[in-house]
Amino acid sequence: MANEVQIQSGLKLTNGNLSSPMLTNNYNADQTTARAYEDTQQIGTTAGGEVLVVGSISTAGWAYFKNLDATNTVKIGPESGGAIVDLITLAPGETAGPMKMATSTIRAIALVSGCDLWYRIYEA
């Protein structure tokens, strides 16, 4: 099969006199192995961040994240040398994705106190 992953996204800005029209993107991608993992993980403030559990995902493909906390910010990114490389910062309630992950070793760290991070990852 082909085009198993279907991505639809958009972005628009209106702020006073500043207006940017809706940018949309529709993209289809292939998935080699039919596998996905979804979880909500409690993220702490441990230096270097903590590795997200990805189940049996061996090659991460597309990912989507949501900070479920009402007051705390969380950072997400790949691992380098056993520590997080800050790539995404999510304020309370914010989402990020869909995005293509270059590695299945993904770390997260809460900035002030622990928070819940929901995520879904598709095998490449």
Side-chain angles (χ1 to χ4, degrees):
M1 273 186 90
N3 296 328
E4 296 85 2
V5 179
Q6 299 171 2
I7 299 163
Q8 299 156 349
S9 61
L11 179 65
K12 180 181 179 180
L13 170 88
T14 303
N15 185 356
N17 292 329
L18 176 61
S19 180
S20 178
M22 176 67 78
L23 299 172
T24 60
N25 181 44
N26 296 314
Y27 178 79
N28 294 326
D30 297 339
Q31 184 184 44
T32 304
T33 304
R35 191 174 293 137
Y37 186 82
E38 180 176 333
D39 200 358
T40 299
Q41 187 169 327
Q42 174 70 30
I43 304 300
T45 58
T46 305
E50 53 194 77
V51 176
L52 295 183
V53 175
V54 295
S56 58
I57 301 290
S58 59
T59 305
W62 294 92
Y64 197 91
F65 304 93
K66 182 171 185 176
N67 181 355
L68 300 178
D69 199 85
T71 57
N72 295 301
T73 299
V74 65
K75 290 188 176 188
I76 306 162
E79 178 182 77
S80 179
I84 187 173
V85 177
D86 296 347
L87 179 65
I88 304 162
T89 300
L90 295 180
E94 286 187 336
T95 61
M99 63 190 62
K100 182 80 179 244
M101 300 305 293
T103 177
S104 58
T105 305
I106 305 163
R107 287 184 171 263
I109 186 169
L111 298 188
V112 177
S113 66
C115 61
D116 286 337
L117 175 69
W118 172 88
Y119 57 97
R120 179 182 295 152
I121 300 173
Y122 296 111
E123 181 87 23

